[in-house]
Structure formats: C-alpha cells, structure tokens
C-alpha cells in the first residue's frame, strides 16, 4: 500500500506564495503520474497540475503561469509552488499518485488533503 502525506498549506494574503509537498511511502516500484487536485467549498474537485515520470507537465488554465509542479524522484515527493495566490485559490489541495508496486500491481493513492486559504 502506498501512503501519501501532504504538507505546506496555510493562510496567506493575496499575492503571496506557498509551497505544498506530498511524500509517498511504502513499497513502490514506479510512480507514473503525480497530480495535484483542489476542492473549494460547494465545488467539485478539479485537477490543478500533473507531472509524469518523464517530466511532462500539465496545468489548469486558472493556475498556468502562477503554479509550478515539480518532483524529486529519489524522495518520491511532488511539490506545488504556488505564486501570486488569489482568493479563488482557496481550497483543500489533494495529491494523487499512480504507478506500480512490486508484482506489477497498479496503485492509485490519494493524500488526506491540506487547506490553503488566501484572504486579506
């Protein structure tokens, strides 16, 4: 079983920055995709950014140019650098990782979520 732990959320003012981290633990053979999602109150969960095992990235239009996703494969960790934060970025942020564990068995794991609040 692959366990994800997120950190780095908090309360910031508009225009400020935050860096989220998500570390995976367990018996991992591969991490093929690392993805950040967010869910604001009363809204559906949405994909924010994704990075693949070969470093290909994808960003939602609402965050492109302000957020940067990166990974440290040696640490099984994904980061989300969030700059120029806006009140509409307020949400619970979740990380998700997909890949294989020994035995070539696929996994699809989610973190518990970390709150990001942008408010003056």
């Amino acid at each position: 079983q692959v366990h994800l732990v997120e950190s780095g959320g908090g309360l910031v003012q508009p225009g400020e920055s935050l860096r989220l981290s998500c570390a995976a633990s367990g018996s991992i053979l591969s991490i093929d995709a690392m993805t950040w999602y967010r869910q604001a109150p009363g809204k559906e969960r949405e994909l924010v950014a994704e990075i693949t095992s070969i470093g290909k990235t994808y960003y939602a239009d609402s965050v492109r140019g302000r957020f940067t996703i990166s990974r440290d494969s040696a640490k099984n960790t994904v980061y989300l650098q969030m700059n120029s934060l806006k009140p509409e970025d307020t949400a619970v942020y979740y990380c998700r990782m997909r890949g294989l564990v020994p035995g070539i068995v696929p996994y699809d794991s989610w973190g518990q979520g970390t709150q990001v609040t942008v408010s003056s």
Side-chain angles (χ1 to χ4, degrees):
Q1 186 171 353
V2 178
H3 183 58
L4 306 184
V5 177
E6 298 139 340
S7 60
L11 171 65
V12 297
Q13 295 188 348
E16 293 185 341
S17 299
L18 276 177
R19 187 193 195 206
L20 305 183
S21 300
C22 176
S25 61
S27 185
I28 299 170
L29 188 61
S30 70
I31 303 178
D32 300 325
M34 296 173 158
T35 313
W36 286 100
Y37 292 79
R38 67 185 181 186
Q39 187 166 20
K43 295 187 176 181
E44 294 187 353
R45 189 173 297 188
E46 63 173 349
L47 192 152
V48 176
E50 181 172 272
I51 185 167
T52 69
S53 59
I54 59 173
K56 184 177 181 180
T57 58
Y58 167 83
Y59 295 95
D61 289 343
S62 58
V63 307
R64 188 174 293 113
R66 298 188 297 122
F67 291 11
T68 302
I69 188 170
S70 61
R71 64 187 289 169
D72 184 334
S73 297
K75 296 181 179 179
N76 291 334
T77 299
V78 62
Y79 305 98
L80 186 67
Q81 178 67 43
M82 305 185 294
N83 298 330
S84 302
L85 282 161
K86 304 175 182 180
E88 50 263 44
D89 294 319
T90 295
V92 177
Y93 285 70
Y94 299 89
C95 72
R96 177 189 186 191
M97 295 190 190
R98 289 162 287 163
L100 299 172
V101 296
I104 317 297
V105 177
Y107 67 89
D108 185 346
S109 296
W110 289 79
Q112 81 287 354
T114 186
Q115 177 70 47
V116 172
T117 302
V118 185
S119 175
S120 56

